[in-house]
Amino acid sequence: MLISFIPVRIAVTFSALLIKLQALPPQQQQQVLDFVEFLTQKYVQSNPNYSQKKRRIAGLHEGMGWIAEDFNAPLSDEFWMGQE
């Protein structure tokens, strides 16, 4: 659920808003939705600072990376002691 990925303060505000929204009749719920869409068009789409993060595409760069054969090999004591 989206709430687990946002700060606690915003999650509490979101929960309070959702409770109040659910208490409204359907017609007023639609008015709230229309207003939110208006605000989205006014602020989010016109201001790149408010834009949503682009979703990642799984497998987009598949096969483009590599890991060295000795990736899991232990590092020498000289490396850890700063002597290399």
Side-chain angles (χ1 to χ4, degrees):
M1 185 174 211
L2 178 64
I3 294 176
S4 64
F5 297 110
I6 57 179
V8 174
R9 182 180 59 185
I10 295 173
V12 170
T13 303
F14 180 77
S15 296
L17 178 63
L18 188 57
I19 291 168
K20 291 181 180 189
L21 181 63
Q22 289 172 335
L24 293 173
Q27 186 177 2
Q28 280 71 34
Q29 289 179 3
Q30 184 61 49
Q31 289 177 346
V32 171
L33 178 60
D34 293 342
F35 183 65
V36 169
E37 289 176 356
F38 164 75
L39 291 175
T40 301
Q41 289 176 357
K42 183 175 180 181
Y43 295 106
V44 175
Q45 295 175 357
S46 65
N47 189 341
N49 294 333
Y50 288 107
S51 64
Q52 295 177 344
K53 291 183 179 179
K54 293 181 181 177
R55 295 191 59 103
R56 296 181 186 187
I57 301 172
L60 183 63
H61 296 101
E62 186 174 351
M64 296 182 73
W66 61 274
I67 297 177
E69 293 293 327
D70 64 346
F71 177 77
N72 285 328
L75 297 170
S76 65
D77 290 337
E78 289 82 22
F79 173 83
W80 295 110
M81 301 301 286
Q83 298 171 358
E84 253 185 344

